Amino acid sequence: MAEKTKIITSIGGQALMEGIMMRGPKITSVAVRKPDGEIHISERPTESLKDKYPILGWPIIRGTAAMIDSLRVGFSALNESAEKSMEGLDDEEEMSRFEKWLDRVFGEKIMNVIMGVAMVLGLAIAIALFFVLPTWLVNLMKLGTGEGIESWRSLIEGAMRIAIFIGYVALCGLQPDLRRTFQYHGAEHKTIFCYENHEELTVENIRRHGRFHPRCGTSFMVIMLGLGIVVGFFIPFTNPFLRTFVKLLCIPVVMGLGYELIRICGRHDNLLTRIIAAPGLWVQRITTKEPDDRMIEVAIAAMEKVIPENGEDQITV
């Protein structure tokens, strides 16, 4: 086995429905396990907003650009994953009248329509749960406790948001389909760890690695929730809608700061970075599960397509 060294790579991944997306510096691949057991792999050039607009690569700003890139590529990958994971299944007899109507009206674009509607509804629900609801609840609490609670508003709202987030992902993990997605999430992390340690990408080698990674999107979300508490101290409004509006305006700054902290935690291992990363790693116990060998095989297939031959993705620290 090659000597273990601490390296950072520009390769990242995302768990999908019955598959995994890996994004390298030059190639982005999507590997999906089809119903017949075959692994379908697609490739496309990796495109980044900061390549077109260099200013988007600046510190703080690059966090928002990275999130937009992730959502854009992830939407396409999720759509492809859903289509391939259902390919070959004959559900015509089981389709409801509504499903037949959707198929007739939208045809091949049906998955794009469904994903688009789901994203809009998900965004609306997220704003209501994570922004409006905590502020409204603290306002109700203030009616009973008086103005003294106002100095603790941001901390209480932040604790509520964290509780809602953890509760939501925990409930998602109880659903069989989403639990499998969490298993693919674990396979993605294990595979990246294996590659970062210069080990051959085999099921046996990958199986030995942990599933909690400091550069995970889960950790990014937890850090953003924590930063949101700090930002909340500087927002004087108590009206749920006005306070939510101002917080939404602050999201690019919070994302930028969160992204920089994630980068620091990925590049350095000391007491401070371990403290910063700890909450996100803990929540990954919910959002990642131990994968089976077939899932690891999918992760390997996706990873092998994005590894540059010249090692330009590796930064020794």
Side-chain angles (χ1 to χ4, degrees), residues 17 33 69 87 197 220 264 285:
M17 180 186 296
R33 178 76 72 178
D69 274 336
E87 194 173 88
N197 285 281
F220 178 61
I264 292 172
R285 295 179 182 276

Side-chain angles (χ1 to χ4, degrees), residues 164-222:
I164 291 171
F165 174 70
I166 293 176
Y168 172 76
V169 297
L171 286 174
C172 286
L174 297 178
Q175 302 181 45
D177 289 344
L178 287 176
R179 183 177 177 82
R180 286 186 62 81
T181 300
F182 289 172
Q183 287 181 281
Y184 275 108
H185 194 187
E188 169 216 329
H189 284 186
K190 284 173 169 284
T191 303
I192 291 176
F193 268 132
C194 184
Y195 176 64
E196 288 180 339
N197 285 281
H198 300 287
E199 296 179 22
E200 182 183 359
L201 296 179
T202 66
V203 172
E204 293 74 18
N205 287 343
I206 291 171
R207 172 70 61 192
R208 293 197 299 267
H209 288 278
R211 68 180 197 267
F212 312 131
H213 201 289
R215 298 196 310 276
C216 173
T218 300
S219 294
F220 178 61
M221 286 297 299
V222 173

Side-chain angles (χ1 to χ4, degrees), residues 52-312:
K52 296 182 179 180
Y53 310 101
I55 190 175
L56 297 182
W58 291 8
I60 307 298
I61 297 176
R62 61 191 173 192
T64 302
M67 178 62 74
I68 294 173
D69 274 336
S70 178
L71 291 174
R72 175 175 55 85
V73 177
F75 177 85
S76 176
L78 281 170
N79 191 12
E80 179 180 346
S81 171
E83 290 179 349
K84 293 301 179 181
S85 65
M86 298 171 62
E87 194 173 88
L89 296 177
D90 185 10
D91 292 330
E92 183 66 29
E93 295 181 358
E94 301 178 5
M95 290 177 64
S96 66
R97 290 183 179 180
F98 179 66
E99 290 171 331
K100 291 179 180 179
W101 177 82
L102 288 175
D103 185 61
R104 184 172 62 254
V105 173
F106 298 105
E108 295 181 355
K109 296 181 180 180
I110 182 63
M111 288 305 301
N112 287 332
V113 173
I114 293 175
M115 294 290 289
V117 172
M119 287 187 66
V120 172
L121 289 177
L123 182 61
I125 292 172
I127 292 174
L129 286 178
F130 291 97
F131 293 95
V132 179
L133 180 61
T135 301
W136 180 71
L137 289 176
V138 172
N139 286 348
L140 284 181
M141 293 170 62
K142 189 166 69 171
L143 294 177
T145 61
E147 293 294 331
I149 198 175
E150 193 61 40
S151 59
W152 298 93
R153 171 182 288 276
S154 184
L155 187 61
I156 296 172
E157 287 181 358
M160 289 180 179
R161 282 193 294 271
I162 293 172
I164 291 171
F165 174 70
I166 293 176
Y168 172 76
V169 297
L171 286 174
C172 286
L174 297 178
Q175 302 181 45
D177 289 344
L178 287 176
R179 183 177 177 82
R180 286 186 62 81
T181 300
F182 289 172
Q183 287 181 281
Y184 275 108
H185 194 187
E188 169 216 329
H189 284 186
K190 284 173 169 284
T191 303
I192 291 176
F193 268 132
C194 184
Y195 176 64
E196 288 180 339
N197 285 281
H198 300 287
E199 296 179 22
E200 182 183 359
L201 296 179
T202 66
V203 172
E204 293 74 18
N205 287 343
I206 291 171
R207 172 70 61 192
R208 293 197 299 267
H209 288 278
R211 68 180 197 267
F212 312 131
H213 201 289
R215 298 196 310 276
C216 173
T218 300
S219 294
F220 178 61
M221 286 297 299
V222 173
I223 286 177
M224 282 186 59
L225 290 171
L227 289 172
I229 295 175
V230 177
V231 171
F233 281 113
F234 300 95
I235 300 177
F237 307 111
T238 59
N239 179 280
F241 301 103
L242 182 57
R243 189 172 176 86
T244 295
F245 177 72
V246 175
K247 283 192 173 184
L248 290 175
L249 292 179
C250 294
I251 284 179
V253 176
V254 174
M255 283 196 301
L257 292 173
Y259 182 78
E260 299 304 323
L261 286 176
I262 283 287
R263 285 171 60 92
I264 292 172
C265 289
R267 283 168 165 74
H268 303 281
D269 183 15
N270 53 52
L271 178 60
L272 179 60
T273 58
R274 286 196 294 270
I275 291 174
I276 294 172
L281 295 176
W282 183 87
V283 177
Q284 285 182 49
R285 295 179 182 276
I286 305 174
T287 62
T288 65
K289 303 296 181 185
E290 285 295 330
D292 59 34
D293 290 350
R294 286 165 56 85
M295 294 173 179
I296 295 176
E297 290 170 356
V298 173
I300 293 173
M303 173 67 91
E304 288 178 338
K305 294 295 183 180
V306 305
I307 299 174
E309 294 182 358
N310 59 5
E312 64 184 281

